[in-house]
Amino acid sequence: MESDPRPSLAVWKFASCDGCQLTLLDCEDELLPLTDRVRITHFLEMSSAEESRERATLSGAGPYDLSLVDGSIATAEDVGRIHHIRRISRRLVTIGACATAGGIQALRNFADVEEFRAAVYASPEYIATLDTSTPISAHVPVDFELRGCPIDRGQLLEVITAFLAGRKPNVSGHSVCFECKRRGTTCITVAQGVPCLGPVTHAGCGALCPAYGRGCYGCFGPMVQPNLEAMVRELRHDGMTERDIVRVFRTFNAASPEYGPVPELAAQEATEPPAEEEPR
Ligand code: SF4
Ligand code: SF4
């Protein structure tokens, strides 16, 4: 194995539903050709081959040319493990809302984790958890963050091939609105007044929800430099209350730092009555 010239790929799991790792398995047709170019040396979702070593060292041996990390940091053990994985990885890419923004489990960041623990578990004394769920980048340097809940397989393959080729991934940070335009979907906000987070949400899904008449609820997380002030104003215009606005941002990417100003902006807008219907 030492003489194998192919770069090595490792896939790691932290607190998550595994959906983003499954996206890699879901690549099906592309996965076998990919193994001609890369040696997948650690991927427990796909194989238990390294399981004993994982158990022995908590995090595998390495070094790995590219590590894909799925999931958020939710326990004290996670903190030590991600630092070790960073040390044994030449490049580290985080995949999915859990790894890039703390995930759904980051809803605890806005609540009392003890209350959650007591409500959910029959024997809460056995549950060891941190008070917060945080993205990987809050703990170690990250080379690239791929958004989505789950991630898009096309974007994932682009990221892997880009890192193998030593170039920057061609994943632009534009919004879902661009994707609506590309597929010829009429804007549901403009045409029907449907509240939609598309203008501030990262592209990747192909504007799936608006194509079926449903507003985007932001599962791909924040686009690059989202205009939250205008977005909150528009959501208010489309009939959302202050509480609704805060809640719609607090789903898959609740702890994204980009969304931090939303409660204050929603409260400001709430002091004003919704604007009269005006031309868009
Ligand atoms: S980002 Fe979503 S799909 Fe991916 S692991 Fe987390 S919960 Fe699952
Ligand atoms: S919620 Fe938004 S980002 Fe997620 S699939 Fe729907 S349109 Fe795409």
Side-chain angles (χ1 to χ4, degrees), residues 97 101 147-149 197 200-203 218-223 252-253 256 259:
R147 298 196 182 278
C149 183
L197 291 189
V200 295
T201 299
H202 199 286
C219 73
F220 266 70
M223 64 174 294
F252 308 89
N253 295 275
S256 288
Y259 291 164

Side-chain angles (χ1 to χ4, degrees), residues 30-50:
E30 297 88 353
L31 206 49
L32 276 181
L34 186 68
T35 56
D36 289 341
R37 301 281 316 281
V38 66
R39 187 161 41 97
I40 302 177
T41 47
H42 184 94
F43 188 6
L44 297 186
E45 186 81 22
M46 186 170 76
S47 161
S48 60
E50 280 210 342

Side-chain angles (χ1 to χ4, degrees), residues 30-278:
E30 297 88 353
L31 206 49
L32 276 181
L34 186 68
T35 56
D36 289 341
R37 301 281 316 281
V38 66
R39 187 161 41 97
I40 302 177
T41 47
H42 184 94
F43 188 6
L44 297 186
E45 186 81 22
M46 186 170 76
S47 161
S48 60
E50 280 210 342
E51 197 172 10
S52 55
R53 188 152 58 153
E54 160 83 1
R55 284 198 177 127
T57 67
L58 286 182
S59 305
Y64 302 98
D65 291 297
L66 176 61
S67 277
L68 301 178
V69 180
D70 162 50
S72 68
I73 302 301
T75 67
E77 184 194 25
D78 288 346
V79 177
R81 203 168 149 246
I82 191 59
H83 280 279
H84 177 69
I85 289 170
R86 178 67 266 192
R87 279 195 296 275
I88 60 173
S89 306
R90 294 195 175 94
R91 293 277 182 271
L92 190 150
V93 171
T94 50
I95 57 171
C98 297
T100 60
I104 294 170
Q105 57 273 29
L107 287 170
R108 73 168 83 162
N109 300 8
F110 309 95
D112 179 358
V113 77
E114 291 305 324
E115 199 180 320
F116 281 4
R117 184 156 49 185
V120 172
Y121 298 99
S123 302
E125 65 274 19
Y126 292 115
I127 306 299
T129 186
L130 296 174
D131 288 347
T132 56
S133 168
T134 42
I136 302 299
S137 63
H139 302 271
V140 295
V142 168
D143 294 294
F144 190 82
E145 294 187 304
L146 186 62
R147 298 196 182 278
C149 183
I151 52 172
D152 171 72
R153 65 202 286 270
Q155 289 190 339
L156 176 62
L157 287 168
E158 163 57 17
V159 167
I160 294 174
T161 50
F163 275 96
L164 293 178
R167 64 174 172 80
K168 190 170 176 284
N170 185 17
V171 176
S172 96
H174 62 227
S175 72
V176 167
C177 294
F178 274 68
E179 299 192 301
C180 270
K181 304 298 171 286
R182 272 199 191 126
R183 69 187 288 166
T185 300
T186 302
C187 176
I188 54 173
T189 294
V190 172
Q192 299 164 40
V194 174
C196 178
L197 291 189
V200 295
T201 299
H202 199 286
C205 68
L208 189 59
C209 299
Y212 289 92
R214 194 173 69 167
C216 171
Y217 48 90
C219 73
F220 266 70
M223 64 174 294
V224 171
Q225 294 184 323
N227 185 342
L228 290 175
E229 202 174 331
M231 185 76 258
V232 167
R233 197 180 313 122
E234 184 58 40
L235 292 173
R236 181 91 177 121
H237 181 276
D238 292 330
M240 289 185 101
T241 64
E242 176 185 354
R243 183 170 177 266
D244 290 342
I245 292 170
V246 173
R247 284 182 70 120
V248 77
F249 278 96
R250 285 195 180 161
T251 47
F252 308 89
N253 295 275
S256 288
E258 291 89 339
Y259 291 164
V262 166
E264 194 181 334
L265 290 169
Q268 274 169 20
E269 280 293 319
T271 60
E272 302 288 332
E276 292 298 315
E277 195 63 40
E278 49 189 46

